[in-house]
Amino acid sequence: MKLWGGRFSSGQDEIMRRFNDSLYFDRRLYAADIQGSEAYAGALHRAAIIDDDEHAAILKGLAAIRKEFEEGTFAEKIGDEDIHTAVERRLSELIGAPAGKLHTGRSRNDQVALDLRIYLLGVIDDVTSALAALQNAIIRKSEENLRTIMPGYTHLQPAQPVLFSHWLMSFFWMFDRDKDRLADGRKRTGVSPLGSGALAGNPFRIDRRELASALNMTGVTWNSMDAVSDRDFVADFQFAAAMISLHISRLAEDLILFSNPGFGFVTVAEAYSTGSSLMPQKRNPDSLELARGKAGRVVSGLLNLMVVLKGLPSTYNKDLQEDKEALFDTVDTLELVLPVIKGVIETLAVHPERMAAALDEVMLATDMADYLVEKGLPFREAHQLTGQAVRLAESRQVPISQIPLEDLGKISALFEADVFKYLDFKRAIEKRAGIGGTSESAVRQQIHEARKRLRE
């Protein structure tokens, strides 16, 4: 018997049943569904809609169902359209008539909206913890390499020298913004829609604020029509997840490049690498390539939800059943990717000597221009004159430091013997000691602030 079957005189077509049913993917909401039902049973009891014995029987039955799911013994049956139907059907088998009172004033519309919120609150906490673990790994690896100098790149071309730790810490702050987004979305997720009914509200004496408190939620929705159709909180999470995946993909891309023998800056541990079925020498960073590839999968989950939502008329529509599969796939993807990237960072071998070999004096051209600025020249003029010195070095195929001072003097009389002191990578690093800079002291300050953020 369908929960909605009273007005129907014929059965459902089998292919329609399969098309309509969602238990095969929404069964993972069982814990949230049972938690919501326990709280709602309490509200019905307080409203004197069920008595003490009925309340006790419902709670006992729900506990038994939870145990069956946890132990993998829950038996699904034809007719279990979704997790809500399955739980209610099994409750009826276990306790009889009192099970039929649990749905009083409640609709699957506000029930599923609640289940998704409860489920996502737990997911947000788990993803936040996984991000914090990855951030800790980034900090530790950065502290191990506080004095390692590497080329910094813009447009993927050599730009200026930076500390390896400064490069790596840049991803700490990306993931920190991701955590902020999750925390912000969590505020909107932790609001209870239960008591909204199908769309018009609950006609019984249900105290919605007390019900929300029982569910550890911070408040209630203020419009029943909005409450049953609102999936903004799912979109919030999907967007945050997409940004996490984009940041992981960018980190993966850098490490794929840096682990290439042409760079040789780092080596990805064998535990996070694979080989070739044909070429015995190959060592491929497949952990990073998969992480980069899966970003598209997560971004598509956000797009899928936005397309589902874009044209819906008011209140609940069956289209909203399509909000879950992509969400669950996103959750499963992050659950795999985040620990893998953490492991890659923890086991990454860093090669300072290869980074040092890749440094080129031309990366110090800005410091040479700064030298002229300190002599009183406007930066734009200093930029032009230093560019001439770079062009001269390129034409002679020598480093800038090997251009005779006499020739530099022809470019500008401001060039004196002390200019060559500026052509030093460590000096260039240490000059950039302001907040957010790449000097060792600035990176130490950055790491101190990062640890503070993690503690908070």
Side-chain angles (χ1 to χ4, degrees):
M1 179 67 70
K2 299 292 186 184
L3 297 181
W4 41 264
R7 60 94 62 225
F8 286 78
S9 59
S10 62
Q12 195 175 40
D13 186 89
E14 174 60 18
I15 193 66
M16 175 57 188
R17 182 193 67 77
R18 290 168 53 199
F19 185 55
N20 183 66
D21 289 359
S22 60
L23 182 60
Y24 69 94
F25 61 81
D26 68 19
R27 73 188 318 274
R28 74 165 67 192
L29 296 175
Y30 79 87
D33 195 73
I34 292 170
Q35 182 183 346
S37 290
E38 288 171 336
Y40 194 66
L44 292 174
H45 182 232
R46 289 188 294 273
I49 294 168
I50 59 175
D51 61 28
D52 292 349
D53 291 340
E54 290 169 329
H55 183 218
I58 289 172
L59 293 183
K60 182 177 180 181
L62 290 172
I65 295 169
R66 179 187 283 110
K67 186 176 181 182
E68 288 179 356
F69 273 107
E70 290 172 348
E71 295 179 350
T73 59
F74 184 88
E76 299 173 6
K77 293 186 177 181
I78 297 294
D80 289 348
E81 291 182 24
D82 49 37
I83 187 60
H84 327 295
T85 309
V87 170
E88 185 168 337
R89 183 266 307 163
R90 181 58 177 149
L91 185 64
S92 181
E93 291 174 352
L94 290 173
I95 69 171
K101 294 188 175 184
L102 179 58
H103 210 56
T104 303
R106 184 173 67 163
S107 167
R108 285 188 295 177
N109 295 357
D110 61 349
Q111 190 175 359
V112 69
L114 175 70
D115 288 2
L116 268 179
R117 288 174 183 272
I118 293 174
Y119 170 77
L120 263 183
L121 287 172
V123 167
I124 288 170
D125 291 345
D126 290 344
V127 173
T128 300
S129 294
L131 282 170
L134 173 55
Q135 287 178 300
N136 270 310
I138 287 172
I139 287 174
R140 289 193 294 269
K141 187 62 66 172
S142 297
E143 287 176 328
E144 292 172 10
N145 294 276
L146 272 170
R147 296 182 177 87
T148 300
I149 301 176
M150 65 176 283
Y153 299 89
T154 64
H155 306 274
L156 204 55
Q157 302 300 312
Q160 290 178 285
V162 296
L163 292 179
F164 174 82
S165 52
H166 190 53
W167 165 78
L168 186 54
M169 283 298 296
S170 70
F171 291 95
F172 175 96
W173 300 107
M174 296 183 204
F175 296 130
D176 211 54
R177 293 194 296 274
D178 293 329
K179 285 166 55 182
D180 285 345
R181 271 184 282 273
L182 288 171
D184 187 55
R186 196 184 196 285
K187 297 173 187 176
R188 289 183 290 277
T189 303
V191 179
S192 174
L194 193 55
S196 297
L199 79 160
N202 191 302
F204 299 96
R205 298 177 301 278
I206 298 297
D207 187 331
R208 292 192 63 210
R209 285 194 175 93
E210 190 173 15
L211 186 51
S213 179
L215 290 163
N216 294 317
M217 291 188 155
T218 57
V220 296
T221 54
W222 281 96
N223 185 289
S224 58
M225 297 178 73
D226 174 55
V228 297
S229 62
D230 173 23
R231 294 298 184 272
D232 292 5
F233 64 97
V234 182
D236 283 343
F237 176 79
Q238 289 281 39
F239 178 74
M243 290 304 299
I244 291 168
S245 296
L246 292 179
H247 292 151
I248 288 173
S249 182
R250 292 184 61 192
L251 172 59
E253 172 67 8
D254 275 3
L255 288 174
I256 289 166
L257 286 171
F258 294 164
S259 66
N260 182 289
F263 283 81
F265 294 174
V266 299
T267 299
V268 178
E270 290 186 0
Y272 296 96
S273 304
T274 65
S276 165
S277 62
L278 177 66
M279 297 168 283
Q281 84 282 4
K282 288 300 295 297
R283 180 168 172 168
N284 302 324
D286 282 8
S287 55
L288 297 168
E289 291 172 13
L290 281 170
R292 184 177 59 185
K294 287 184 183 294
R297 183 180 190 135
V298 176
V299 171
S300 72
L302 171 62
L303 178 61
N304 174 81
L305 178 64
M306 301 299 281
V307 172
V308 168
L309 296 178
K310 75 170 184 64
L312 294 184
S314 291
T315 81
Y316 184 84
N317 297 270
K318 192 68 171 183
D319 312 52
L320 290 174
Q321 186 166 291
E322 292 299 310
D323 62 359
K324 297 175 192 66
E325 286 182 277
L327 170 64
F328 296 156
D329 186 73
T330 291
V331 172
D332 292 342
T333 300
L334 291 182
E335 188 178 72
L336 275 173
V337 169
L338 284 166
V340 167
I341 297 302
K342 171 179 170 285
V344 169
I345 296 299
E346 287 176 333
T347 58
L348 193 69
V350 180
H351 306 304
E353 71 287 352
R354 290 298 301 268
M355 296 181 194
L359 295 171
D360 188 324
E361 272 187 11
V362 76
M363 297 178 195
L364 300 172
T366 303
D367 294 89
M368 197 172 185
D370 291 343
Y371 166 85
L372 293 176
V373 168
E374 291 177 10
K375 296 276 189 173
L377 202 65
F379 178 76
R380 283 298 162 213
E381 291 183 41
H383 186 287
Q384 290 290 328
L385 295 173
T386 302
Q388 293 176 32
V390 170
R391 187 167 67 248
L392 180 61
E394 288 177 346
S395 68
R396 295 182 181 180
Q397 297 183 337
V398 297
I400 298 176
S401 62
Q402 292 186 21
I403 297 176
L405 180 58
E406 179 183 355
D407 292 341
L408 288 177
K410 293 176 183 178
I411 295 173
S412 172
L414 293 176
F415 283 124
E416 298 180 283
D418 59 346
V419 67
F420 297 108
K421 295 179 181 178
Y422 282 70
L423 300 177
D424 179 84
F425 294 108
K426 185 174 181 180
R427 187 183 190 281
I429 292 284
E430 291 309 312
K431 279 188 67 177
R432 288 159 173 82
I435 294 174
T438 191
S439 73
E440 183 181 339
S441 62
V443 173
R444 286 186 184 276
Q445 183 183 18
Q446 181 183 166
I447 289 173
H448 175 78
E449 182 63 25
R451 288 201 179 280
K452 180 181 174 183
R453 295 273 297 189
L454 283 179
R455 288 194 300 272
E456 290 172 352

